[in-house]
Amino acid sequence: MSEPRKIIIDTDPGQDDAAAIMLALGSPELDILGITTVAGNVPLTLTSRNARIILEFCGRPDVKVFAGADKPVARPLITAEHVHGKTGLDGPELHDPQMPLQAQHAVDFIIETLKREPAGTVTLCTLGPLSNIATALEKAPEIAGRVRELVMMGGGFFEGGNITPAAEFNIYVDPEAAATVFKSGIPIVMMPLDVTHKVLTLKSRVAKLREIGSRPAIALVEMLDFFERFDIEKYGSDGGPLHDPTVIAYLLKPELFSGRDCNVEVEAASPLTVGMTVVDWWQVTGRKHNARVMKDVDADGFFALLTERVGRL
Ligand code: BDR
Ligand code: CA
């Protein structure tokens, strides 16, 4: 096997973030240099706590967690307890994490790591609002040229939004940060709602995870049982969309996904459409491509991968 791919996971756990972290932990092709937390689904103290709880569920307290931005770069924080519950990780019984948070700020960890590692070797996996990444880019713009790729869960186009009719949650919470990232020149892969709404936690799929029977698998199933309640009611589907693990699955098996290179701009001003990702899918503007935008996914292949990798934990 070739050298594992070095990644930083920037996250706001979140049950679907937990699934993404577990998928990464179960995959020897990936080397997790650190997990950086951001305020999003719930405030920063809780996302930082949840990240450590997830690592401890998986018996991996050796993975370092760095707390980052406690609010978006230019506006007050909006959270999503209505989806994720009061803790952000409702479902299983949650213990107080024993492993410490690192003293270094997430933004400094991101900058230092990108400067230390050879250029073009570190991939950023973003599963929440882009506040940490945008702040790192503001502080040290030279890091943009050193990132191998940034794979994000965020945005939506054909599917519209999930927090407003036009906007997806991660982009809506910090549209200024998202705009900075899309303008940065970093090679971006975007997993929008158009993809994530196709990977539903159908009962038959969750049953396969339950069969694994290990501590992390049961904790994940309990999280998903909670998480999907809201979505089933909202979308009228047999299961909720499992957004964030699509980012990790792309690194492992890009052939599960298809999309095209486009220009993406973020609306940050209009009260009606703030947080909208305006994707030039039909190439009507002539604006420069700045992201590979995914649209389709092999959902059964995705769940087979997730189940196999959670089974290794
Ligand atoms: C995104 O928002 C959060 O609620 C999820 O964790 C995911 O990252 C989906 O819009
Ligand atoms: Ca998330």
Side-chain angles (χ1 to χ4, degrees):
M1 200 176 79
S2 51
E3 284 276 290
R5 184 166 175 171
K6 292 172 195 162
I7 64 170
I8 295 173
I9 302 178
D10 189 67
T11 177
D12 64 337
Q15 292 88 347
D16 61 321
D17 302 68
I21 292 168
M22 288 187 187
L23 177 56
L25 290 170
S27 298
E29 303 94 323
L30 302 177
D31 176 10
I32 307 173
L33 302 179
I35 293 184
T36 53
T37 57
V38 65
N41 287 324
V42 283
L44 182 71
T45 42
L46 286 173
T47 58
S48 304
R49 180 174 189 268
N50 292 346
R52 289 176 291 149
I53 291 174
I54 295 159
L55 289 169
E56 289 182 354
F57 276 146
C58 300
R60 291 296 307 275
D62 55 299
V63 179
K64 294 188 166 76
V65 177
F66 302 82
D70 62 0
K71 55 178 186 318
V73 296
R75 46 181 86 219
L77 177 65
I78 294 160
T79 52
E81 285 87 355
H82 61 293
V83 183
H84 300 271
K86 225 171 144 215
T87 64
L89 208 58
D90 278 19
E93 197 175 314
L94 301 176
H95 60 276
D96 286 329
Q98 299 302 302
M99 61 178 285
L101 257 184
Q102 298 299 305
Q104 190 178 28
H105 193 282
V107 168
D108 296 325
F109 168 73
I110 291 168
I111 294 171
E112 192 188 285
T113 305
L114 284 166
K115 287 187 173 176
R116 184 192 64 230
E117 298 292 334
T121 62
V122 177
T123 296
L124 301 176
C125 302
T126 68
L127 314 178
L130 290 155
S131 324
N132 286 337
I133 310 298
T135 308
L137 286 166
E138 293 285 331
K139 227 176 146 177
E142 67 277 16
I143 62 171
R146 303 185 65 82
V147 178
R148 172 169 168 182
E149 199 170 35
L150 185 153
V151 187
M152 70 162 72
M153 190 282 131
F157 192 59
F158 295 96
E159 279 286 293
N162 61 354
I163 184 80
T164 73
E168 180 278 328
F169 180 77
N170 290 340
I171 307 292
Y172 180 75
V173 171
D174 201 342
E176 285 79 11
T180 299
V181 170
F182 277 103
K183 283 193 182 80
S184 68
I186 296 174
I188 294 173
V189 177
M190 176 173 156
M191 291 292 169
L193 297 177
D194 307 281
V195 167
T196 67
H197 281 182
K198 292 175 182 142
V199 286
L200 301 177
T201 55
L202 304 179
K203 285 194 172 43
S204 55
R205 292 170 174 164
V206 177
K208 292 213 172 88
L209 285 167
R210 190 175 280 118
E211 272 168 26
I212 296 170
S214 64
R215 188 180 190 217
I218 295 300
L220 179 60
V221 166
E222 289 172 352
M223 287 179 211
L224 298 183
D225 283 346
F226 178 88
F227 186 51
E228 67 173 22
R229 259 179 266 170
F230 169 82
D231 281 324
I232 290 175
E233 205 167 296
K234 176 171 170 186
Y235 298 108
S237 54
D238 176 24
L242 198 51
H243 309 280
D244 291 340
T246 58
V247 166
I248 306 296
Y250 175 78
L251 300 183
L252 300 168
K253 280 198 165 190
E255 65 275 16
L256 292 173
F257 301 89
S258 59
R260 59 169 75 158
D261 292 331
C262 298
N263 174 269
V264 181
E265 306 279 328
V266 179
E267 175 59 54
S270 151
L272 187 63
T273 57
V274 65
M276 182 176 181
T277 45
V278 179
V279 177
D280 185 8
W281 185 261
W282 303 113
Q283 320 284 325
V284 292
T285 63
R287 288 196 287 256
K288 208 170 162 241
H289 295 167
N290 59 354
R292 176 156 296 179
V293 180
M294 294 301 163
K295 186 162 174 282
D296 285 304
V297 54
D298 168 0
D300 286 331
F302 165 84
F303 274 95
L305 177 68
L306 178 69
T307 307
E308 192 246 319
R309 296 309 169 92
V310 171
R312 293 190 192 191
L313 293 172

mmCIF file of all heavy atoms in Angstrom, residues 12 14-17 41 80 83-84 127-128 153 162 168-170 193 196 227 243-244, ligand 1:
data_model
loop_
_atom_site.group_PDB
_atom_site.id
_atom_site.type_symbol
_atom_site.label_atom_id
_atom_site.label_comp_id
_atom_site.label_asym_id
_atom_site.label_seq_id
_atom_site.Cartn_x
_atom_site.Cartn_y
_atom_site.Cartn_z
ATOM 1 N N ASP A 12 -17.824 19.818 13.345
ATOM 2 C CA ASP A 12 -18.709 20.353 14.397
ATOM 3 C C ASP A 12 -19.650 19.262 14.903
ATOM 4 O O ASP A 12 -20.862 19.390 14.788
ATOM 5 C CB ASP A 12 -19.508 21.560 13.853
ATOM 6 C CG ASP A 12 -20.451 21.184 12.714
ATOM 7 O OD1 ASP A 12 -20.215 20.146 12.037
ATOM 8 O OD2 ASP A 12 -21.461 21.903 12.512
ATOM 9 N N GLY A 14 -22.282 16.808 16.230
ATOM 10 C CA GLY A 14 -22.875 16.240 15.059
ATOM 11 C C GLY A 14 -22.750 14.715 14.859
ATOM 12 O O GLY A 14 -21.663 14.176 14.807
ATOM 13 N N GLN A 15 -23.969 14.062 14.772
ATOM 14 C CA GLN A 15 -24.016 12.623 14.559
ATOM 15 C C GLN A 15 -23.415 12.226 13.213
ATOM 16 O O GLN A 15 -22.733 11.194 13.117
ATOM 17 C CB GLN A 15 -25.468 12.109 14.633
ATOM 18 C CG GLN A 15 -26.120 12.188 16.011
ATOM 19 C CD GLN A 15 -26.812 13.518 16.280
ATOM 20 O OE1 GLN A 15 -26.637 14.492 15.554
ATOM 21 N NE2 GLN A 15 -27.614 13.574 17.327
ATOM 22 N N ASP A 16 -23.684 12.990 12.163
ATOM 23 C CA ASP A 16 -23.135 12.593 10.853
ATOM 24 C C ASP A 16 -21.633 12.887 10.788
ATOM 25 O O ASP A 16 -20.879 12.180 10.119
ATOM 26 C CB ASP A 16 -23.897 13.229 9.685
ATOM 27 C CG ASP A 16 -23.848 14.737 9.675
ATOM 28 O OD1 ASP A 16 -23.916 15.360 10.747
ATOM 29 O OD2 ASP A 16 -23.733 15.310 8.577
ATOM 30 N N ASP A 17 -21.186 13.901 11.541
ATOM 31 C CA ASP A 17 -19.739 14.124 11.677
ATOM 32 C C ASP A 17 -19.107 12.905 12.345
ATOM 33 O O ASP A 17 -18.003 12.477 11.980
ATOM 34 C CB ASP A 17 -19.445 15.353 12.538
ATOM 35 C CG ASP A 17 -20.068 16.635 12.017
ATOM 36 O OD1 ASP A 17 -21.309 16.746 12.054
ATOM 37 O OD2 ASP A 17 -19.319 17.522 11.575
ATOM 38 N N ASN A 41 -23.114 22.992 14.584
ATOM 39 C CA ASN A 41 -24.332 22.304 15.031
ATOM 40 C C ASN A 41 -24.699 22.694 16.463
ATOM 41 O O ASN A 41 -25.871 22.849 16.802
ATOM 42 C CB ASN A 41 -24.137 20.789 14.961
ATOM 43 C CG ASN A 41 -24.147 20.270 13.533
ATOM 44 O OD1 ASN A 41 -24.890 20.770 12.693
ATOM 45 N ND2 ASN A 41 -23.334 19.263 13.263
ATOM 46 N N ALA A 80 -27.901 24.229 15.518
ATOM 47 C CA ALA A 80 -28.942 23.327 14.986
ATOM 48 C C ALA A 80 -29.318 22.240 15.989
ATOM 49 O O ALA A 80 -29.382 21.059 15.654
ATOM 50 C CB ALA A 80 -28.463 22.714 13.670
ATOM 51 N N VAL A 83 -31.972 19.708 15.133
ATOM 52 C CA VAL A 83 -31.640 18.503 14.352
ATOM 53 C C VAL A 83 -30.838 17.521 15.204
ATOM 54 O O VAL A 83 -31.103 16.316 15.192
ATOM 55 C CB VAL A 83 -30.790 18.872 13.106
ATOM 56 C CG1 VAL A 83 -30.518 17.634 12.257
ATOM 57 C CG2 VAL A 83 -31.460 19.953 12.283
ATOM 58 N N HIS A 84 -29.843 18.028 15.920
ATOM 59 C CA HIS A 84 -28.843 17.157 16.551
ATOM 60 C C HIS A 84 -29.072 16.945 18.051
ATOM 61 O O HIS A 84 -28.329 16.200 18.681
ATOM 62 C CB HIS A 84 -27.442 17.742 16.335
ATOM 63 C CG HIS A 84 -27.092 17.873 14.878
ATOM 64 N ND1 HIS A 84 -26.492 16.862 14.173
ATOM 65 C CD2 HIS A 84 -27.308 18.872 13.985
ATOM 66 C CE1 HIS A 84 -26.323 17.247 12.910
ATOM 67 N NE2 HIS A 84 -26.807 18.462 12.777
ATOM 68 N N LEU A 127 -16.271 19.485 7.591
ATOM 69 C CA LEU A 127 -17.590 18.900 7.845
ATOM 70 C C LEU A 127 -18.524 19.891 8.535
ATOM 71 O O LEU A 127 -19.601 19.515 8.988
ATOM 72 C CB LEU A 127 -17.434 17.658 8.737
ATOM 73 C CG LEU A 127 -16.327 16.660 8.383
ATOM 74 C CD1 LEU A 127 -16.290 15.521 9.409
ATOM 75 C CD2 LEU A 127 -16.539 16.098 6.978
ATOM 76 N N GLY A 128 -18.075 21.134 8.649
ATOM 77 C CA GLY A 128 -18.880 22.146 9.348
ATOM 78 C C GLY A 128 -18.693 23.500 8.679
ATOM 79 O O GLY A 128 -18.135 23.596 7.576
ATOM 80 N N MET A 153 -18.144 19.096 2.962
ATOM 81 C CA MET A 153 -19.588 18.922 2.904
ATOM 82 C C MET A 153 -20.165 20.318 3.042
ATOM 83 O O MET A 153 -19.962 20.982 4.069
ATOM 84 C CB MET A 153 -20.100 18.018 4.037
ATOM 85 C CG MET A 153 -21.575 17.600 3.881
ATOM 86 S SD MET A 153 -22.731 18.874 4.348
ATOM 87 C CE MET A 153 -23.858 18.901 2.957
ATOM 88 N N ASN A 162 -31.258 23.412 3.089
ATOM 89 C CA ASN A 162 -31.922 22.674 4.168
ATOM 90 C C ASN A 162 -32.180 23.524 5.409
ATOM 91 O O ASN A 162 -32.962 23.150 6.264
ATOM 92 C CB ASN A 162 -31.144 21.385 4.531
ATOM 93 C CG ASN A 162 -29.727 21.666 5.038
ATOM 94 O OD1 ASN A 162 -29.265 22.797 5.036
ATOM 95 N ND2 ASN A 162 -29.053 20.607 5.453
ATOM 96 N N GLU A 168 -27.663 25.741 2.434
ATOM 97 C CA GLU A 168 -27.304 24.568 3.238
ATOM 98 C C GLU A 168 -26.669 25.074 4.538
ATOM 99 O O GLU A 168 -25.981 26.106 4.546
ATOM 100 C CB GLU A 168 -26.332 23.697 2.419
ATOM 101 C CG GLU A 168 -25.855 22.430 3.111
ATOM 102 C CD GLU A 168 -24.712 22.675 4.078
ATOM 103 O OE1 GLU A 168 -23.908 23.599 3.816
ATOM 104 O OE2 GLU A 168 -24.648 21.983 5.104
ATOM 105 N N PHE A 169 -26.820 24.327 5.619
ATOM 106 C CA PHE A 169 -26.441 24.806 6.962
ATOM 107 C C PHE A 169 -24.987 25.265 7.074
ATOM 108 O O PHE A 169 -24.712 26.360 7.569
ATOM 109 C CB PHE A 169 -26.741 23.702 7.997
ATOM 110 C CG PHE A 169 -26.388 24.084 9.397
ATOM 111 C CD1 PHE A 169 -27.203 24.933 10.136
ATOM 112 C CD2 PHE A 169 -25.218 23.615 9.994
ATOM 113 C CE1 PHE A 169 -26.866 25.298 11.438
ATOM 114 C CE2 PHE A 169 -24.881 23.972 11.292
ATOM 115 C CZ PHE A 169 -25.713 24.820 12.009
ATOM 116 N N ASN A 170 -24.023 24.445 6.651
ATOM 117 C CA ASN A 170 -22.600 24.777 6.874
ATOM 118 C C ASN A 170 -22.222 26.098 6.203
ATOM 119 O O ASN A 170 -21.414 26.866 6.736
ATOM 120 C CB ASN A 170 -21.687 23.665 6.351
ATOM 121 C CG ASN A 170 -21.767 22.408 7.203
ATOM 122 O OD1 ASN A 170 -22.182 22.449 8.346
ATOM 123 N ND2 ASN A 170 -21.365 21.286 6.614
ATOM 124 N N LEU A 193 -25.812 19.041 -0.894
ATOM 125 C CA LEU A 193 -27.027 18.286 -0.562
ATOM 126 C C LEU A 193 -27.464 17.411 -1.735
ATOM 127 O O LEU A 193 -28.109 16.384 -1.531
ATOM 128 C CB LEU A 193 -28.153 19.254 -0.184
ATOM 129 C CG LEU A 193 -27.915 20.103 1.067
ATOM 130 C CD1 LEU A 193 -29.081 21.080 1.270
ATOM 131 C CD2 LEU A 193 -27.742 19.237 2.307
ATOM 132 N N THR A 196 -25.713 14.343 -0.752
ATOM 133 C CA THR A 196 -25.984 13.766 0.580
ATOM 134 C C THR A 196 -27.446 13.358 0.750
ATOM 135 O O THR A 196 -27.747 12.461 1.523
ATOM 136 C CB THR A 196 -25.549 14.719 1.714
ATOM 137 O OG1 THR A 196 -26.372 15.885 1.718
ATOM 138 C CG2 THR A 196 -24.099 15.141 1.548
ATOM 139 N N PHE A 227 -30.877 10.922 15.037
ATOM 140 C CA PHE A 227 -30.651 11.911 13.975
ATOM 141 C C PHE A 227 -31.729 11.844 12.899
ATOM 142 O O PHE A 227 -32.207 12.855 12.406
ATOM 143 C CB PHE A 227 -29.268 11.599 13.387
ATOM 144 C CG PHE A 227 -28.742 12.564 12.352
ATOM 145 C CD1 PHE A 227 -28.715 13.920 12.584
ATOM 146 C CD2 PHE A 227 -28.227 12.089 11.151
ATOM 147 C CE1 PHE A 227 -28.176 14.797 11.647
ATOM 148 C CE2 PHE A 227 -27.699 12.955 10.210
ATOM 149 C CZ PHE A 227 -27.677 14.303 10.460
ATOM 150 N N HIS A 243 -24.871 13.176 5.712
ATOM 151 C CA HIS A 243 -24.085 14.137 4.940
ATOM 152 C C HIS A 243 -22.562 13.937 4.998
ATOM 153 O O HIS A 243 -21.900 13.742 3.983
ATOM 154 C CB HIS A 243 -24.365 15.564 5.445
ATOM 155 C CG HIS A 243 -25.797 15.925 5.539
ATOM 156 N ND1 HIS A 243 -26.544 16.300 4.448
ATOM 157 C CD2 HIS A 243 -26.651 15.968 6.597
ATOM 158 C CE1 HIS A 243 -27.779 16.575 4.830
ATOM 159 N NE2 HIS A 243 -27.875 16.379 6.123
ATOM 160 N N ASP A 244 -21.994 14.071 6.204
ATOM 161 C CA ASP A 244 -20.550 14.302 6.314
ATOM 162 C C ASP A 244 -19.642 13.141 5.892
ATOM 163 O O ASP A 244 -18.542 13.389 5.371
ATOM 164 C CB ASP A 244 -20.205 14.762 7.738
ATOM 165 C CG ASP A 244 -20.728 16.155 8.042
ATOM 166 O OD1 ASP A 244 -21.011 16.896 7.078
ATOM 167 O OD2 ASP A 244 -20.854 16.509 9.223
HETATM 168 C C1 BDR B 1 -24.521 19.737 7.499
HETATM 169 O O1 BDR B 1 -24.997 20.507 8.589
HETATM 170 C C2 BDR B 1 -24.872 19.786 9.789
HETATM 171 O O2 BDR B 1 -26.083 19.803 10.460
HETATM 172 C C3 BDR B 1 -24.402 18.408 9.434
HETATM 173 O O3 BDR B 1 -23.488 17.916 10.399
HETATM 174 C C4 BDR B 1 -23.762 18.568 8.089
HETATM 175 O O4 BDR B 1 -22.402 18.909 8.194
HETATM 176 C C5 BDR B 1 -25.685 19.369 6.616
HETATM 177 O O5 BDR B 1 -26.312 20.493 6.117
#
